[in-house]
Amino acid sequence: MVSNDDRVTDQTATPRDATRPAALPGTRPHRIGLLEGDGIGHEIVPATREVVDAAVAAAGGIGVEWVPLPIGAEAIDTHGTPLPEETLDALEGLDAWILGPHDSASYPEPYRRQLTPGGRIRKHFDLYANIRPARALTGVRAVSPAMDLVVVRENTEGFYADRNMAVGSGEFMPTPDVALAVGVVTRTACERIARTAFDLASKRRGRVTIVHKANVLSMTTGLFRDVCREVGRDYPSVQVDDAHVDAMAALLVRHGDRYDVIVTENMFGDILSDLTAELSGSLGTAASVNASGTRTMAQASHGAAPDIAGLGRANPIALISSAAMLLDRIGDTSDPSFAAAARRIDAAVDATVGCGIATADLGGTASTAEFTDALIARVRDL
Ligand code: ATP
């Protein structure tokens, strides 16, 4: 399950985020996969592409070569499967891609019951770190207006039966009236996610909160807590504390502005990051990336929103901000202009929403296209 690239082996070296590969000089356009997905994906993915192109050009970057790939309901029509082999093969040759949301509940059987295309991609490429920032935007009503934190969620094991087994499922029923689920926690997975969190905190406000439930799940989440603490000893400048997940939910509502980086196991991270998304604003602004040692997939936290698909009402911010995170990671490793493009996008989102231009979910009147155009104007002007 763990590739050699991703394993943390050199404890004597300066700690470096294992999900960020070493810098390479960039001399040609970066090839980025583009997977539209379903529902509002057909609106927000093209909008994201336009914004990225504008930001990279404005930052003087060498540009992006987009690689559109089939996925989702359209791929069922054209290829007989929501995730064609040709898409997986093409992704093998790419370091980064943007994935639109998928509406797998609307797929015909047998695809509806299968692991979603995004889940299959995460598993196939061992994208072990799900990084989900929650930052309140100026001008957006938020329960926690000063929140600025990042949830670093372990993405490959824990209690999620769809991904914690190499073969078979971690959830099963010996009789129709008995259901069992297996939780998996390994030292290797804890170490690499902890390192991702501590590296991130080193570049932010220098605080990591480890979230677990070691008073009840003492072996599994206890191992998670203890390994995170061990890794933390390599980062003397980062302050560490920990909390039980139930207490953490309450603390986030009460003092959401006090946290910097929260590292936690899979299911706790899934739940807490929806909470922080809502506390800091809206699902429509909640960005995320899934990453391994070599690859980054930008994917908004929200779903395909079939209720508003095709109406021009989708908020593209979550995916655009996810793409900015992806550019920042490319910027770190190959081309500083991509990091500059990422900063441009973040500042332009703040400036656009800050002056009252927003889609309906944020209380505004702009369509997806109008918001995107206003954002691109600011991306160019900043
Ligand atoms: P999934 O299980 O695939 O994550 P879901 O059923 O939880 O999906 P979403 O598709 O995320 O739900 O939609 C939840 C609600 O939020 C819907 O009313 C939808 O219209 C709204 N919503 C989600 N994303 C956006 C967006 N980008 N812009 C505007 N509204 C959105």
Side-chain angles (χ1 to χ4, degrees):
M1 210 148 78
V2 180
S3 75
N4 286 336
D5 288 339
D6 298 336
R7 200 171 293 147
V8 177
T9 49
D10 186 359
Q11 300 294 324
T12 59
T14 307
R16 187 179 65 76
D17 182 350
T19 69
R20 290 184 180 239
L24 295 167
T27 51
R28 58 179 172 77
H30 293 276
R31 299 179 77 229
I32 299 181
L34 202 64
L35 301 99
E36 279 197 8
D38 304 312
I40 59 170
H42 299 298
E43 296 152 75
I44 62 174
V45 173
T48 300
R49 173 183 177 156
E50 278 185 63
V51 172
V52 168
D53 279 338
V56 170
I62 48 181
V64 172
E65 182 188 330
W66 296 102
V67 183
L69 295 166
I71 198 163
E74 284 188 358
I76 296 177
D77 292 342
T78 55
H79 293 71
T81 168
L83 183 57
E85 281 304 314
E86 75 171 67
T87 295
L88 275 180
D89 288 349
L91 292 178
E92 290 282 356
L94 300 171
D95 298 337
W97 54 88
I98 292 172
L99 176 66
H102 36 70
D103 183 16
S104 43
S106 72
Y107 297 169
E109 293 294 4
Y111 310 113
R112 193 180 310 162
R113 263 175 301 140
Q114 294 173 352
L115 190 56
T116 62
R120 278 187 60 202
I121 293 173
R122 282 198 298 270
K123 198 163 180 169
H124 184 86
F125 291 104
D126 194 25
L127 303 178
Y128 63 83
N130 183 204
I131 303 169
R132 293 183 161 186
R135 183 173 66 87
L137 298 174
T138 312
V140 174
R141 231 177 315 125
V143 176
S144 189
M147 180 174 276
D148 179 7
L149 58 77
V150 183
V151 176
V152 176
R153 167 191 173 200
E154 203 291 320
N155 219 9
T156 63
E157 51 181 36
F159 298 92
Y160 274 10
D162 65 343
R163 65 193 75 172
N164 66 9
M165 295 281 147
V167 179
S169 167
E171 198 179 28
F172 48 95
M173 296 180 78
T175 78
D177 299 320
V178 177
L180 301 173
V182 176
V184 178
V185 176
T186 64
R187 176 172 290 277
T188 305
C190 297
E191 276 181 4
R192 63 185 184 174
I193 199 68
R195 212 159 278 288
T196 302
F198 279 95
D199 277 313
L200 185 59
S202 307
K203 295 186 198 120
R204 289 175 47 93
R205 302 194 304 277
R207 180 178 174 197
V208 169
T209 303
I210 306 162
V211 175
H212 57 86
K213 186 66 183 166
N215 54 339
V216 177
L217 297 165
S218 55
M219 289 183 216
T220 47
T221 73
L223 179 63
F224 184 89
R225 176 200 58 195
D226 294 346
V227 173
C228 286
R229 282 180 178 159
E230 281 168 38
V231 169
R233 289 188 203 116
D234 289 341
Y235 299 79
S237 62
V238 177
Q239 196 193 330
V240 188
D241 59 7
D242 66 273
H244 294 140
V245 63
D246 43 352
M248 192 69 207
L251 288 167
L252 282 168
V253 174
R254 197 179 300 168
H255 304 302
D257 53 337
R258 294 192 185 166
Y259 295 93
D260 180 18
V261 174
I262 293 170
V263 63
T264 191
E265 68 86 45
N266 202 340
M267 182 162 60
F268 297 165
D270 197 10
I271 296 167
L272 287 183
S273 61
D274 265 25
L275 176 65
T276 55
E278 201 52 41
L279 290 172
S280 63
S282 140
L283 205 50
T285 61
S288 106
V289 298
N290 293 278
S292 73
T294 51
R295 300 176 203 270
T296 305
M297 174 168 83
Q299 183 182 16
S301 297
H302 59 72
D307 52 331
I308 57 166
L311 301 179
R313 286 173 47 196
N315 185 349
I317 291 179
L319 191 62
I320 290 169
S321 299
S322 306
M325 292 172 73
L326 178 149
L327 294 180
D328 186 52
R329 298 173 70 84
I330 295 176
D332 238 23
T333 56
S334 59
D335 185 341
S337 68
F338 274 64
R343 286 194 297 276
R344 231 169 226 279
I345 292 174
D346 288 341
V349 167
D350 275 336
T352 310
V353 175
C355 71
I357 302 171
T359 46
D361 57 307
L362 298 184
T365 56
S367 67
T368 310
E370 287 164 351
F371 178 81
T372 305
D373 288 347
L375 182 61
I376 289 173
R378 282 162 182 80
V379 160
R380 292 193 175 124
D381 284 353
L382 281 168

